[in-house]
Amino acid sequence: MSFAPNSLRLGNAKQVCHFSRLAEFIIFNKYRDVAEQSVKEYLEYFATNKATSKGTKNIELQRQWYLSDNETRKRYMTWQQELDDLVYDERQRTKAAEKRASEAETRADEEKSRADKYEKILREHGLL
């Protein structure tokens, strides 16, 4: 279970991972210690998959309906595939942009090297 959105940058990955582990620890190990009863019921439901209150029973009924409805499942799978495709496309664009940036940096380094070489030649001949 992860609470991190897909669009997070790598700089926050450690913080997100830490938060995710902390959230999982609270949900799955410490839900009994939560003082607020309504929050405790939901955390218990997520930790145990047992609906014990009216609110969690409603969630379970909705979940069961979505699981049993073939049209909803098909739409979800289509939506999930579209998301996966968008993520893949974005990664490809990022790789292409990084490659272009690397190539531009290489060209700039080559041009600087060539300019330094010509400057050295001009200095040696007293033209600069």
Side-chain angles (χ1 to χ4, degrees):
M1 171 182 292
S2 179
F3 298 97
N6 291 337
S7 62
L8 286 172
R9 299 281 183 235
L10 288 177
N12 296 332
K14 287 183 182 179
Q15 293 171 337
V16 169
C17 184
H18 177 71
F19 173 76
S20 181
R21 288 183 185 152
L22 177 64
E24 288 177 17
F25 177 76
I26 291 170
I27 290 172
F28 295 109
N29 299 313
K30 292 291 189 180
Y31 67 88
R32 292 176 193 90
D33 300 339
V34 174
E36 179 63 38
Q37 187 60 31
S38 62
V39 174
K40 183 177 181 177
E41 291 171 357
Y42 289 106
L43 292 177
E44 181 179 6
Y45 171 70
F46 292 123
T48 65
N49 285 330
K50 294 178 184 170
T52 56
S53 69
K54 183 180 178 182
T56 57
K57 285 178 183 177
N58 286 339
I59 291 173
E60 183 61 22
L61 286 173
Q62 288 278 332
R63 190 178 79 83
Q64 290 300 324
W65 182 83
Y66 281 114
L67 288 174
S68 66
D69 183 55
N70 287 333
E71 185 63 29
T72 301
R73 289 180 78 155
K74 187 168 79 175
R75 286 182 185 161
Y76 172 78
M77 296 305 287
T78 302
W79 176 71
Q80 186 63 48
Q81 184 61 49
E82 288 173 3
L83 286 178
D84 291 345
D85 291 347
L86 288 171
V87 168
Y88 176 80
D89 292 345
E90 184 60 30
R91 285 184 180 150
Q92 293 303 104
R93 280 192 294 275
T94 300
K95 285 180 185 177
E98 288 171 351
K99 183 178 178 184
R100 285 191 307 273
S102 176
E103 289 170 351
E105 187 176 317
T106 300
R107 281 192 307 276
D109 289 345
E110 290 171 353
E111 289 171 6
K112 173 141 178 39
S113 175
R114 197 169 33 251
D116 290 344
K117 178 181 158 187
Y118 290 133
E119 183 179 344
K120 181 181 175 187
I121 292 170
L122 291 173
R123 284 187 193 280
E124 288 173 355
H125 289 66
L127 299 173
L128 268 184

